[in-house]
């Protein structure tokens, strides 16, 4: 069944590419706006050999991955910390929800002004897109803990830090892990928007530049590169999720 699914996905993908090429060959789609798979491949080769496409991909990947990792770790710590004090939890939760409702991408211009147009502002945007989502996921895990089990452990003489490490963290891990696939997409979106605002490097900067000079072929190269990059990151996240849930 798994092999049949993979074969079907490959056939569908190849079919879309072939149909796209045929539609442009017969003039149904205007290549000025839609380019074509062959032209995109040719433009990609030029961008790789004569341009900075490879460095741009690495730049965007780096800011996305760093922001994703930092946001996930710090967000998980924030969410798990609510278990230690119900009062602290009740005071902080409304602010956490309020900050989550703020469109973080709207802060991009401020962050670029504050941190500059370099790598740091892209990492920070990716981080902000991830940290609150993870904190809320971890907090949901904390609220779903079996309190009868906690009380039993306390009655048996367990210390609070022992309950935290043996019950709270393991019980909250599925909630945190479930947010990973969403987080990687959010981190990539944050990094790209940061590059759109102001950047010297990155796939987002390349797409913006290509649009300014009306080079639609290069725009499509950037779009395809981001599609492949996001797919690879998603697959890696799914694999990480399986590793973390193995044995549970």
């Amino acid at each position: 069944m798994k092999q049949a699914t993979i074969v079907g996905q490959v056939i569908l993908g190849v079919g879309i590419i072939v149909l796209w090429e045929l539609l442009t060959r017969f003039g149904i789609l205007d290549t000025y706006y839609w380019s074509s798979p062959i032209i995109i491949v040719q433009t990609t080769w030029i961008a790789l050999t004569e341009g900075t496409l490879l460095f741009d991909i690495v730049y965007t990947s780096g800011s996305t991955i760093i922001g994703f990792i930092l946001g996930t770790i710090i967000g998980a710590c924030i969410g798990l910390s609510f278990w230690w004090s119900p009062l602290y939890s009740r005071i902080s939760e409304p602010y956490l929800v309020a900050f989550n409702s703020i469109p973080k991408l709207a802060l991009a211009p401020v962050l670029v002004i504050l941190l500059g147009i370099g790598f740091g502002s892209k990492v920070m945007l990716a981080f902000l897109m991830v940290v609150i989502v993870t904190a809320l996921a971890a907090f949901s895990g904390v609220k779903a803990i079996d309190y009868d089990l906690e009380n039993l452990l306390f009655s048996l003489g367990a210390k609070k830090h022992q309950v935290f490490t043996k019950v709270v963290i393991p019980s909250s891990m599925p909630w945190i892990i479930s947010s990973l696939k969403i987080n990687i997409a959010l981190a990539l979106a944050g990094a790209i928007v940061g590059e759109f605002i102001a950047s010297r490097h990155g796939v987002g900067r390349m797409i913006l530049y290509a649009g300014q000079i009306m080079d639609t072929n290069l725009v499509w190269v950037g779009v395809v590169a981001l599609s492949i990059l996001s797919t690879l990151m998603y697959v890696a996240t799914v694999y990480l999720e399986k590793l973390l849930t193995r044995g549970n």
Side-chain angles (χ1 to χ4, degrees), residues 15-199:
I16 292 174
I17 294 172
V18 171
L19 179 62
W20 184 3
E21 182 66 32
L22 291 175
L23 290 175
T24 56
R25 289 291 181 94
F26 289 108
I28 299 175
L29 292 179
D30 191 340
T31 55
Y32 178 78
Y33 298 105
W34 298 99
S35 190
S36 75
I38 290 179
I39 295 175
I40 291 173
V41 170
Q42 293 170 344
T43 308
T44 300
W45 177 251
I46 294 172
L48 284 171
T49 56
E50 301 179 13
T52 61
L53 178 59
L54 184 59
F55 181 80
D56 289 333
I57 292 174
V58 173
Y59 186 91
T60 299
S61 302
S63 59
T64 300
I65 293 171
I66 294 174
F68 167 76
I69 293 173
L70 292 177
T72 300
I73 293 174
I74 295 176
C77 291
I78 293 172
L80 292 172
S81 70
F82 291 139
W83 176 82
W84 289 88
S85 171
L87 178 60
Y88 162 63
S89 171
R90 290 193 296 268
I91 292 173
S92 302
E93 184 178 7
Y95 293 95
L96 195 67
V97 173
F99 189 75
N100 186 54
S101 66
I102 297 174
K104 266 72 70 179
L105 296 180
L107 299 175
V110 177
L111 290 175
V112 169
I113 294 172
L114 181 64
L115 301 175
I117 64 174
F119 190 73
S121 59
K122 316 307 177 292
V123 172
M124 180 57 70
L125 268 171
F127 168 82
L128 290 177
M129 293 292 290
V130 170
V131 64
I132 302 301
V133 174
T134 308
L136 288 172
F139 186 37
S140 297
V142 168
K143 291 190 290 186
I145 291 172
D146 185 352
Y147 289 104
D148 291 334
L149 177 59
E150 286 186 47
N151 292 330
L152 175 62
L153 291 174
F154 283 129
S155 67
L156 293 174
K159 303 298 183 181
K160 196 164 186 178
H161 69 87
Q162 292 175 320
V163 176
F164 181 74
T165 55
K166 300 298 182 181
V167 176
V168 177
I169 294 179
S171 299
S172 302
M173 279 303 293
W175 295 81
I176 298 170
I177 292 171
S178 66
S179 69
L180 294 180
K181 287 183 284 191
I182 298 174
N183 287 349
I184 194 64
L186 291 174
L188 181 59
I192 293 300
V193 169
E195 292 170 3
F196 279 159
I197 299 298
S199 182

Side-chain angles (χ1 to χ4, degrees), residues 188-238:
L188 181 59
I192 293 300
V193 169
E195 292 170 3
F196 279 159
I197 299 298
S199 182
R200 296 188 183 94
H201 309 288
V203 180
R205 189 264 337 155
M206 186 189 75
I207 293 174
L208 183 63
Y209 169 75
Q212 291 172 341
I213 63 173
M214 306 297 287
D215 187 348
T216 54
N217 294 325
L218 190 57
V219 170
W220 278 105
V221 169
V223 171
V224 171
L226 286 178
S227 299
I228 295 173
L229 184 61
S230 61
T231 301
L232 292 175
M233 288 182 175
Y234 180 85
V235 171
T237 304
V238 170

